[in-house]
Amino acid sequence: MKSLKTKASFLMLIVPILLLNAQGEFNSVEGYTPQIGQMVYMLEDLKERITEEVKDLDQSQTDFLYDADANSIGSLVMHLVSTESYYQIATLEGRDWTEEELARYGVAGEINEDVKSMLKDKPISYYLELWDEVRAKTLTGLKTKDDEWFASNLEDGLNYQYIWYHVMEHSANHMGQIATIKNRLPK
């Protein structure tokens, strides 16, 4: 009997590890140079995971604030849109936002009380569609670059790879905030 318990315990430990190994491999996305392709893989993985977490939220869940200092899930997704758009235009096109782009994508570069009040009563699909637009431009722009560009400096001590790592890291940080907000949604 003890042997059966030992085998069952072993299986309970090893199966999750095997599943993680099946998912835990960075791949370079075809159509990009190797380093950029790996970054695209990470960016797309995070976007897909965040989208999966939020896509079915209703309006009250999208706008929910668990306290006066909190951000809504809608405002956090819009913040991800703003962040990616800003770095996409700056690094891939070498310019600043136009007034039109600023109004469309840049509204949540910084989340403050004014921004929070503007980002209400919009369905989660609104934010996800904007993110899809921005991501499509990012993916197209990154296809025109190579790993030499990726490793080159935008300014002393700051290269393009680090900037895109920051965009990816930013998504991961806000994915955690979104999960916390979802855990606090009224039942």
Side-chain angles (χ1 to χ4, degrees):
M1 195 66 159
K2 187 174 185 176
S3 174
L4 183 57
K5 284 183 180 178
T6 303
K7 288 179 183 176
S9 295
F10 176 73
L11 283 174
M12 288 173 59
L13 288 172
I14 197 70
V15 169
I17 292 170
L18 291 173
L19 290 174
L20 280 176
N21 284 337
Q23 298 174 25
E25 191 175 309
F26 284 119
N27 297 302
S28 185
V29 176
E30 196 171 314
Y32 300 89
T33 57
Q35 294 296 311
I36 292 175
Q38 284 186 344
M39 182 59 66
V40 167
Y41 179 87
M42 290 183 276
L43 288 166
E44 288 287 86
D45 177 69
L46 283 166
K47 184 177 180 297
E48 182 180 312
R49 289 163 58 196
I50 292 168
T51 299
E52 192 61 35
E53 282 295 313
V54 304
K55 69 181 180 168
D56 296 323
L57 296 178
D58 65 30
Q59 192 61 58
S60 66
Q61 294 168 322
T62 301
D63 291 342
F64 176 72
L65 298 171
Y66 60 79
D67 67 35
D69 296 323
N71 294 311
S72 69
I73 290 174
S75 66
L76 288 171
V77 175
M78 189 64 204
H79 179 63
L80 293 174
V81 170
S82 294
T83 301
E84 183 168 337
S85 175
Y86 174 80
Y87 286 111
Q88 168 213 106
I89 289 169
T91 65
L92 301 175
E93 298 180 30
R95 62 180 179 84
D96 292 328
W97 274 317
T98 64
E99 289 299 317
E100 190 176 306
E101 289 165 335
L102 179 60
R104 183 160 177 81
Y105 305 118
V107 67
E110 180 182 328
I111 303 175
N112 55 37
E113 291 308 313
D114 292 336
V115 170
K116 285 183 196 183
S117 68
M118 290 172 36
L119 297 175
K120 287 184 180 176
D121 303 321
K122 291 178 175 59
I124 195 65
S125 61
Y126 170 82
Y127 304 109
L128 293 175
E129 288 167 11
L130 285 175
W131 202 7
D132 287 344
E133 285 177 32
V134 168
R135 180 55 57 88
K137 291 177 188 176
T138 296
L139 296 177
T140 298
L142 286 171
K143 279 188 176 181
T144 67
K145 305 298 182 184
D146 61 20
D147 287 346
E148 186 176 330
W149 169 85
F150 206 40
S152 68
N153 283 359
L154 179 64
E155 58 186 57
D156 194 32
L158 181 65
N159 68 15
Y160 292 101
Q161 186 171 16
Y162 185 83
I163 289 169
W164 283 98
Y165 163 78
H166 174 68
V167 172
M168 184 270 307
E169 168 194 47
H170 205 74
S171 294
N173 285 330
H174 290 305
M175 183 172 66
Q177 285 182 301
I178 289 166
T180 298
I181 297 167
K182 277 190 73 179
N183 284 334
R184 291 186 153 191
L185 290 172
K187 302 292 181 206

